[in-house]
Amino acid sequence: GAGVSQSPSNKVTEKGKDVELRCDPISGHTALYWYRQSLGQGLEFLIYFQGNSAPDKSGLPSDRFSAERTGGSVSTLTIQRTQQEDSAVYLCASSRSGTELSGELFFGEGSRLTVL
Amino acid sequence: AQSVTQLDSQVPVFEEAPVELRCNYSSSVSVYLFWYVQYPNQGLQLLLKYLSGSTLVESINGFEAEFNKSQTSFHLRKPSVHISDTAEYFCAVKGGAQKLVFGQGTRLTINP
């Protein structure tokens, strides 16, 4: 499809396990974001990739979280040694290049992570 | 760095009543401003945006927002709401090449 694709849509894991969440942005979009949405917590910024620039990792909550973007397209968010407080919906969004346009984000449906 | 404050976490209103959802921002650079909406069980989508030009911007479903630089605000308004407007609304700000920053969201509930 033409939209942002995220997988898996749902993931249930045990505390202490590692998880990987994948995001396929819209073709040609140079900016890619990861956000986390918890009940009653709004949208928490995690990481921002913009073209070939160094990513803005200022929102990653701990060193258990990491993300990469290969070839300027697909991105993977990895959470190591998951904790129950990591349970949330992880949202990926992409946008076109250009500072004026790059605030218009297109969001995926999200990956719902439940840590037991 | 930018930040966004949405002053109300929840706003209940009656159907056909007017509503205002408040948003204030802070930034050291010129900004672009956005409102996003998340309807129940749906993903986030752009509602309206201010990039430049007229400070009053409108959406296709009757919402409007006005950029007020002196008050650093971008409040969202609708003169008459419908049940279908029930959703969570997020204000967001972007300065230059910096990341898009969202507010905490305002949950709008419409009572019949």
Side-chain angles (χ1 to χ4, degrees):
Chain A
V4 176
S5 177
Q6 292 188 245
S7 61
S9 55
N10 275 286
K11 176 71 175 179
V12 180
T13 190
E14 294 179 348
K15 178 181 174 180
K17 300 284 189 182
D18 297 351
V19 296
E20 284 190 352
L21 307 176
R22 177 188 168 102
C23 174
D24 275 288
I26 293 172
S27 178
H29 281 194
T30 60
L32 187 148
Y33 293 79
W34 283 98
Y35 292 91
R36 178 167 71 175
Q37 188 172 28
S38 307
L39 191 62
Q41 296 297 313
L43 279 167
E44 179 186 3
F45 166 77
L46 296 177
I47 189 168
Y48 167 46
F49 296 90
Q50 173 58 62
N52 295 321
S53 303
D56 179 348
K57 304 180 181 180
S58 60
L60 295 178
S62 76
D63 58 8
R64 296 186 296 106
F65 287 73
S66 63
E68 63 178 21
R69 189 177 184 192
T70 55
S73 181
V74 172
S75 177
T76 302
L77 176 69
T78 301
I79 309 172
Q80 296 178 311
R81 306 181 301 282
T82 52
Q83 303 295 313
Q84 288 182 331
E85 60 263 29
D86 299 335
S87 297
V89 177
Y90 290 81
L91 296 171
C92 177
S94 70
S95 69
R96 292 170 285 183
S97 60
T99 57
E100 186 173 276
L101 298 174
S102 56
E104 299 180 44
L105 268 54
F106 294 81
F107 281 85
E109 294 293 315
S111 292
R112 182 177 297 278
L113 175 66
T114 303
V115 182
L116 301 176
Chain B
Q2 297 95 241
S3 67
V4 178
T5 302
Q6 290 184 245
L7 297 164
D8 306 296
S9 60
Q10 295 189 63
V11 173
V13 296
F14 287 106
E15 193 172 17
E16 298 183 5
V19 70
E20 178 179 82
L21 306 184
R22 295 179 293 171
C23 172
N24 287 89
Y25 69 92
S26 66
S27 176
S28 57
V29 298
S30 296
V31 297
Y32 307 117
L33 294 157
F34 306 83
W35 277 97
Y36 282 79
V37 59
Q38 187 173 33
Y39 297 106
N41 301 313
Q42 294 187 28
L44 274 148
Q45 55 189 286
L46 181 68
L47 181 64
L48 50 75
K49 65 193 178 196
Y50 168 77
L51 302 179
S52 64
S54 173
T55 57
L56 184 66
V57 292
E58 298 178 351
S59 72
I60 59 173
N61 60 349
F63 281 94
E64 64 180 31
E66 185 162 20
F67 170 52
N68 188 318
K69 187 174 182 179
S70 63
Q71 297 186 5
T72 59
S73 68
F74 192 56
H75 301 329
L76 182 70
R77 302 184 182 96
K78 188 170 185 179
S80 177
V81 295
H82 301 275
I83 293 286
S84 59
D85 294 324
T86 296
E88 188 151 19
Y89 293 80
F90 294 90
C91 183
V93 62
K94 191 177 194 309
Q98 298 178 38
K99 62 182 180 283
L100 185 69
V101 176
F102 285 87
Q104 288 297 99
T106 298
R107 187 171 299 278
L108 177 64
T109 55
I110 314 297
N111 299 307

